[in-house]
Amino acid sequence: MSNLTAEETFVRLDNVTLEYQHEGQAVRAVEDVSLTVRRGEFVVVAGPSGCGKTTLLKVLAGLVVPGNGSASVGNVQVRGPQKNVGMAFQNPILLPWRKVMDNVLLPLEVVAPHKGRFRRHRSEYVAQARELLASVGLEGFDDRHPWQISGGQQQRASLCRALIHNPEILLLDEPFGALDAFTREELWQVLQALWMQRRFTVLLVTHDLREAVFLADTVYVMSTRPGRIVSRTAVDVPRPRTLEDTFSAQFTETYHEIRRQIGEVLGR
Amino acid sequence: MKRTSLLTEWLPPLVVIVSAFAIWEAGVALLRVPEFILPGPSAVWVALVKWREAIWFNASQTLYTTLVGFAMALAGGMGLGLAIGYSTLVYRALYPLLVAFNSVPKAAIVPVLVIWFGIGTVPAILTAFLISFFPIVVNVATGLATMEPELQDVLRSLGASKREIFMKVGIPRSLPYFFASLKVSVTLAFVGAVISETVAANKGIGYLMIAASSRFEVPLVFAGLIVVAAMGVALFAFFAVIEHRLTGWAYRGPALTV
């Protein structure tokens, strides 16, 4: 980690430890986690389920405050909700009473500075949303209700909702975990294309290591609870990566390396 | 296509109702049951026609007390449900009292209401209100309580206030629960009004039935029962249609294309 200079670092976690109360007992979710992310970097945190990956995202989004250590974005310490982040989860959680377009526009109704000008400049925002929807292959789906589109399409819309306010950081919590294998691989490519075009900073947590290697510039592996960072691996497979690349020697080597690290974490 | 679906939808209940009446009529006739114990449907029908003006007058009184009580329950139940769903403090403070209150049989409250407000319209309205507002409170509060935590995270991370999340997500989300509770609670309100009328009233369909039974006008009692049942079904159906119209998105069925 020391090969990065301070200026390059955009997001950093310093010795973050976080406990929460469960049935009267303190459960340590993450322990002494430090990591740094450069602006525009695609970072994947991989680890077994229940290792506190989600907690890290919440710390970065400013939704929970770590008991020890600190998080900072752009050299400013995170103390409350970060308006420059977009989030998406395994469950697309679109609002069923809103059409796809209105779901995508939802963040603009609550986030500054857009919420003040949303009503007057609605058509402008709708145009942006259309463009974004088209870029994930949802052209012409504006007027559908969420239940009228497939799970993969819902997840695409959820991605658009996370990106509509042009956040600098995108936090993704196993976003493709509930999809079938083919849809998942397709969405890897959609996400990669979006990222290459817009160059936001991404933190994605997953337990799918092929996904991790396909998408990441850097993969951090976390241990079982309490979650600690056990390794950091740079993925040098050139972009844009294709599904064909997942069979290349370089890809499989990296994959095996990370799989081995996970194996050590799990003790098997 | 449409014809057959209409047929399959309406035919079975129609057959059941008609055969029930037929069995009832035949049973009464074959067993020679006296009219003052169980009148047949034809005798009930005769009573219905004969007393139609009295029935109409009393039924409209009951409809009036039901709807006024129900309207109060709507306002009170929605308000209290939102308050309980919005604030854990309000929830903790009020919930035990609400449950205790709901456990009291409302028929037992009617005499108290009579002492306070005298015999007549007010106790019926209040009984209708008391019996029907609890399901509305619970449903609205449930709708708010089942909001997905991830969705709150998405909005909170954007800096949305609790009030904004409540307005944008909480209230729309609780609407299907609210409308689903209406058809249940309007029937309860109706039951409450009729109970109160049978105990302490000088008009209303409940009063009519009590008066008729004290004069051994048993066919009229049964005519009253039929009217009560018909009104209950009508109120239920009315609010079921409203529910479907207003929160169709919650059903996700093909009916949405209508």
Side-chain angles (χ1 to χ4, degrees):
Chain A
M1 280 173 238
S2 51
N3 61 344
L4 296 173
T5 67
E7 306 158 5
E8 284 180 298
T9 304
F10 179 48
V11 175
R12 74 184 297 143
L13 293 176
D14 285 315
N15 308 100
V16 167
T17 298
L18 199 135
E19 289 177 347
Y20 63 91
Q21 296 295 319
H22 180 69
E23 292 172 358
Q25 288 191 327
V27 179
R28 186 160 283 200
V30 292
E31 188 171 80
D32 205 20
V33 169
S34 297
L35 59 81
T36 54
V37 184
R38 281 171 285 127
R39 189 181 286 275
E41 191 181 12
F42 200 127
V43 166
V44 171
V45 178
S49 51
C51 72
K53 300 179 298 247
T54 303
T55 307
L56 285 188
L57 294 190
K58 286 194 175 180
V59 168
L60 280 174
L63 294 171
V64 293
V65 181
N68 264 317
S70 67
S72 69
V73 174
N75 277 328
V76 182
Q77 196 176 345
V78 175
R79 292 178 191 282
Q82 296 288 299
K83 288 166 190 144
N84 57 350
V85 302
M87 297 179 93
F89 304 85
Q90 177 168 350
N91 180 348
I93 46 163
L94 301 172
L95 302 177
W97 59 89
R98 285 176 172 238
K99 291 176 174 172
V100 168
M101 173 58 77
D102 293 320
N103 264 295
V104 172
L105 293 174
L106 176 68
L108 300 175
E109 295 171 27
V110 297
V111 74
H114 302 290
K115 74 172 173 184
R117 55 195 304 276
F118 181 73
R119 278 185 197 201
R120 273 170 295 135
H121 299 82
R122 195 186 150 89
S123 55
E124 193 181 299
Y125 287 119
V126 167
Q128 285 175 24
R130 278 229 170 86
E131 197 184 321
L132 195 54
L133 283 166
S135 68
V136 299
L138 278 185
E139 207 157 16
F141 285 87
D142 316 5
D143 277 342
R144 304 281 185 95
H145 280 95
W147 74 88
Q148 293 168 320
I149 60 180
S150 70
Q153 289 168 332
Q154 289 182 23
Q155 200 51 267
R156 289 168 205 244
S158 175
L159 268 180
C160 290
R161 182 179 61 191
L163 289 172
I164 187 67
H165 57 298
N166 284 316
E168 291 177 285
I169 307 173
L170 182 62
L171 302 177
L172 300 171
D173 189 354
E174 302 189 13
F176 312 127
L179 303 172
D180 65 86
F182 305 113
T183 312
R184 191 181 311 149
E185 289 173 352
E186 200 185 331
L187 284 188
W188 293 351
Q189 298 175 72
V190 167
L191 178 58
Q192 177 180 244
L194 269 177
W195 174 77
M196 290 185 71
Q197 183 197 339
R198 299 177 170 232
R199 287 290 168 166
F200 36 81
T201 306
V202 188
L203 245 103
L204 180 148
V205 305
T206 183
H207 50 235
D208 180 342
L209 300 184
R210 279 185 70 228
E211 179 170 303
V213 179
F214 187 92
L215 288 169
D217 291 326
T218 310
V219 179
Y220 287 92
V221 170
M222 270 180 93
S223 67
T224 46
R225 184 166 290 193
R228 262 169 278 131
I229 302 279
V230 294
S231 71
R232 174 182 184 277
T233 311
V235 182
D236 296 324
V237 181
R239 296 192 192 258
R241 297 169 189 163
T242 63
L243 290 176
E244 200 49 48
D245 290 337
T246 63
F247 303 103
S248 71
Q250 196 180 8
F251 189 99
T252 43
E253 243 167 61
T254 317
Y255 175 88
H256 281 300
E257 172 57 22
I258 295 171
R259 181 68 189 84
R260 195 184 53 74
Q261 293 159 4
I262 294 270
E264 276 173 20
V265 162
L266 292 172
R268 63 184 94 121
Chain B
M1 239 354 247
K2 190 135 199 182
R3 252 188 115 78
T4 50
S5 75
L6 259 178
L7 207 65
T8 48
E9 198 176 331
W10 288 103
L11 199 59
L14 203 66
V15 167
V16 169
I17 291 169
V18 168
S19 15
F21 277 114
I23 292 167
W24 177 4
E25 184 76 53
V28 167
L30 285 173
L31 301 169
R32 297 177 199 284
V33 182
E35 200 168 76
F36 64 88
I37 291 182
L38 179 61
S42 57
V44 173
W45 176 251
V46 170
L48 257 178
V49 175
K50 183 178 164 196
W51 299 97
R52 61 184 181 278
E53 274 171 27
I55 289 174
W56 178 251
F57 170 76
N58 286 295
S60 48
Q61 163 72 12
T62 304
L63 189 64
Y64 165 71
T65 53
T66 300
L67 290 182
V68 174
F70 178 63
M72 288 163 62
L74 268 185
M78 183 86 181
L80 199 57
L82 290 178
I84 284 181
Y86 183 74
S87 150
T88 7
L89 180 69
V90 177
Y91 171 82
R92 287 214 191 104
L94 287 185
Y95 210 70
L97 182 68
L98 273 173
V99 172
F101 175 76
N102 190 51
S103 318
V104 176
K106 300 305 170 294
I109 294 182
V110 179
V112 180
L113 295 176
V114 172
I115 294 172
W116 290 347
F117 301 104
I119 283 179
T121 306
V122 178
I125 289 177
L126 288 179
T127 316
F129 162 71
L130 290 174
I131 205 170
S132 66
F133 100 119
F134 192 72
I136 302 180
V137 173
V138 171
N139 268 37
V140 171
T142 307
L144 291 173
T146 50
M147 201 190 323
E148 295 89 344
E150 291 100 332
L151 193 56
Q152 301 188 44
D153 283 351
V154 166
L155 293 174
R156 273 177 59 214
S157 72
L158 296 168
S161 65
K162 195 176 174 189
R163 208 187 119 263
E164 279 174 314
I165 298 178
F166 192 67
M167 299 300 286
K168 300 245 175 250
V169 184
I171 291 183
R173 201 171 187 306
S174 68
L175 280 183
Y177 293 82
F178 171 69
F179 284 108
S181 73
L182 293 192
K183 56 181 194 268
V184 177
S185 81
V186 78
T187 346
L188 284 175
F190 184 63
V191 169
V194 173
I195 286 178
S196 174
E197 286 166 0
T198 57
V199 179
N202 38 32
K203 49 186 173 174
I205 200 83
Y207 167 75
L208 177 77
M209 282 158 61
I210 289 292
S213 84
S214 65
R215 288 188 297 158
F216 276 97
E217 292 270 10
V218 181
L220 181 54
V221 176
F222 275 85
L225 281 177
I226 299 271
V227 171
V228 166
M231 285 171 76
V233 170
L235 287 170
F236 183 94
F238 179 73
F239 283 99
V241 168
I242 288 196
E243 178 190 357
H244 213 266
R245 280 285 159 82
L246 293 184
T247 52
W249 55 263
Y251 293 93
R252 309 165 188 210
L256 279 158
T257 51
V258 173

